[in-house]
């Protein structure tokens, strides 16, 4: 069996009377691509925020590479090897592309020259090197999503959280995005991705976890999950059943 890189155990987070995640338990194997799916408001982004350290759970534990990181701040989790993107890209729009990615590279390189070199190498990996001198605020939406991925990769993660990086892309752009994610995983980075484009994500992921109303509704191989009656009823809908 593959080694577990991330363990989320009975994690619950409530905002006042609203429970965003309830008793969420899941294990992520090192090297896998895990799809986190579910309807809007299911708690997917909240779970990303818990894993990355933006929020702390009311109860439960989060372990990364065997260590309890439940109380660690985001910067320390990043230093330990967890990076993420955001649903709405958050670039430094007045800085150029290379400078944006260099910011991420400073997580593992103390010297500016080393961080810049690592950033250039990362831009090559994500096919964005030709835009290194472009001002980030002038990028197209697909380029901004790729910039988010580049900045996260520049931190040297072992676990990468991708929040809807394929949403809103044309078919050709989505195909390029899928190829990039496969290259990232092939390089040894474990990936958890939130995505709504089922036709794209299901052939890509090794395993899928479905959240609904803050709880895990189902998990397993993609082919099993999309045939689960509870998943069809809560998320995929009757049109999927007919298809």
């Amino acid at each position: 069996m593959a080694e577990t890189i991330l363990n989320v155990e009975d994690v619950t987070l409530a905002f006042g009377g609203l429970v965003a995640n309830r008793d969420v338990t899941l294990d992520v194997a090192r090297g896998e691509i895990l799809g986190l799916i579910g309807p809007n408001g299911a708690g997917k982004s909240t779970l990303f925020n818990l894993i990355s350290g933006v929020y702390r759970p009311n109860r439960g534990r989060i372990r990364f590479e065997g260590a309890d990181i439940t109380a660690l701040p985001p910067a320390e989790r990043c230093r330990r090897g967890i990076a993420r993107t955001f649903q709405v890209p958050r670039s430094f729009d007045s800085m150029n592309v290379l400078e944006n990615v260099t910011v991420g590279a400073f997580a593992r390189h103390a010297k500016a020259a080393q961080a810049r070199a690592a950033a250039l190498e990362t831009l090559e990996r994500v096919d964005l090197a030709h835009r290194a001198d472009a001002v980030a605020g002038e990028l197209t939406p697909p380029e901004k999503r790729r910039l988010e991925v580049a900045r996260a990769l520049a931190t040297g993660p072992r676990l990468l959280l991708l929040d809807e990086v394929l949403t809103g892309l044309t078919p050709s752009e989505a195909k390029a995005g899928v190829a990039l994610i496969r290259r990232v995983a092939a390089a040894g980075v474990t990936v958890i991705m939130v995505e709504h484009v089922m036709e794209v994500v299901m052939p890509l992921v090794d395993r899928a976890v479905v959240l609904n109303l803050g709880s895990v509704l189902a998990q397993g191989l993609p082919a099993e999950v999309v045939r689960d009656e509870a998943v069809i009823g809560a998320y995929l809908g009757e049109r999927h059943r007919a298809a």
Side-chain angles (χ1 to χ4, degrees):
M1 295 180 63
E3 175 191 0
T4 297
I5 189 172
L6 180 75
N7 169 252
V8 178
E9 181 181 352
D10 296 327
V11 163
T12 294
L13 178 65
F15 301 99
L18 174 64
V19 180
N21 285 140
R22 185 191 303 275
D23 300 325
V24 174
T25 294
L26 59 89
D27 291 333
V28 183
R30 188 181 298 277
E32 80 171 326
I33 303 175
L34 178 72
L36 188 61
I37 63 175
N40 290 329
K44 303 182 299 296
S45 291
T46 300
L47 184 57
F48 264 24
N49 285 331
L50 285 164
I51 295 170
S52 61
V54 176
Y55 301 144
R56 293 186 185 181
N58 300 128
R59 66 173 183 268
R61 287 285 179 267
I62 301 174
R63 294 179 176 84
F64 178 65
E65 295 188 321
D68 189 335
I69 62 169
T70 310
L72 294 182
E76 179 58 28
R77 299 189 197 203
C78 181
R79 282 190 287 269
R80 291 189 179 214
I82 299 175
R84 67 167 298 178
T85 67
F86 292 87
Q87 186 174 342
V88 178
R90 301 183 180 184
S91 58
F92 300 102
D93 284 350
S94 63
M95 297 164 60
N96 68 29
V97 167
L98 177 58
E99 291 166 339
N100 266 265
V101 181
T102 301
V103 169
F106 274 120
R108 60 189 174 106
H109 297 288
K111 296 183 178 180
Q114 294 175 333
R116 180 183 172 87
L120 283 168
E121 180 183 345
T122 304
L123 287 175
E124 291 284 354
R125 290 176 64 190
V126 303
D127 299 325
L128 206 56
H130 65 290
R131 299 287 275 160
D133 295 326
V135 176
E138 299 175 354
L139 298 182
T140 65
E143 287 175 332
K144 279 201 170 187
R145 291 193 183 279
R146 195 161 284 239
L147 175 58
E148 281 260 302
V149 176
R151 190 172 58 212
L153 286 175
T155 67
R158 292 182 295 282
L159 174 63
L160 178 62
L161 312 177
L162 299 176
D163 198 347
E164 297 192 25
V165 295
L166 302 177
T167 298
L169 303 183
T170 66
S172 61
E173 291 166 347
K175 183 178 179 180
V178 167
L180 172 58
I181 294 169
R182 290 192 190 279
R183 292 200 303 272
V184 169
V189 180
T190 303
V191 176
I192 307 177
M193 56 186 302
V194 168
E195 195 52 67
H196 286 288
V197 187
M198 299 294 289
E199 296 83 357
V200 174
V201 71
M202 285 314 215
L204 172 62
V205 301
D206 300 306
R207 195 163 52 91
V209 174
V210 184
L211 290 184
N212 185 49
L213 301 176
S215 300
V216 175
L217 180 63
Q219 56 182 307
L221 298 176
E224 298 169 348
V225 167
V226 297
R227 290 175 172 82
D228 188 295
E229 287 296 324
V231 176
I232 293 172
Y235 178 45
L236 298 178
E238 293 302 317
R239 294 179 65 182
H240 171 82
R241 190 198 308 276

